[in-house]
Amino acid sequence: MSSSSGAIWFLILLALSAANLPFFSERLLAVVPVPAALAPKNLGLRLLELVLLYFLVGGIGLWLEQRAGRIAPQGWEFYAVTATLFLTLAFPGFVWRYLRRRP
């Protein structure tokens, strides 16, 4: 397995875990406790956290691409597709948090 292939798999697994993190954790970015005024985390706060994590994973991907060589220019289509993919990866966490039946 080449190093670029390993970096790609690392980025995919990182995106999968980061996309689901807001739905599995009651802390902001899984580190900061939610202030009492905002507790419990609502959907809006979770979506804001999802956007922040999208940009964090994108920055890590940009850094990995820079380490591998020249950065390829991207248009708006690239960002639309990656944002949609990130939302799709977040679906299991959304289902677990909001759609599962609780006893």
Side-chain angles (χ1 to χ4, degrees), residues 3 9 12 19 21 23 26 35 43 47-52 66-67 73 76-77 83 93-95 97-98:
S3 67
W9 279 108
I12 290 171
L21 186 64
F23 301 105
E26 287 300 322
L43 181 60
L47 291 178
L48 178 64
E49 195 175 3
L50 196 65
V51 169
L52 290 173
Q66 183 182 22
R67 279 189 57 213
W76 68 269
E77 297 93 345
F94 178 82
V95 168
R97 170 65 59 189
Y98 294 108

Side-chain angles (χ1 to χ4, degrees), residues 24-94:
F24 287 114
S25 174
E26 287 300 322
R27 294 174 167 253
L28 295 174
L29 300 174
V31 177
V32 181
V34 178
L38 298 175
K41 275 177 34 177
N42 59 15
L43 181 60
L45 195 55
R46 291 180 198 279
L47 291 178
L48 178 64
E49 195 175 3
L50 196 65
V51 169
L52 290 173
L53 288 168
Y54 168 74
F55 285 113
L56 179 68
V57 171
I60 292 170
L62 190 64
W63 177 71
L64 287 172
E65 186 178 12
Q66 183 182 22
R67 279 189 57 213
R70 187 173 174 199
I71 296 175
Q74 305 296 341
W76 68 269
E77 297 93 345
F78 172 79
Y79 298 104
V81 168
T82 56
T84 305
L85 177 62
F86 200 74
L87 286 174
T88 303
L89 291 174
F91 186 68
F94 178 82

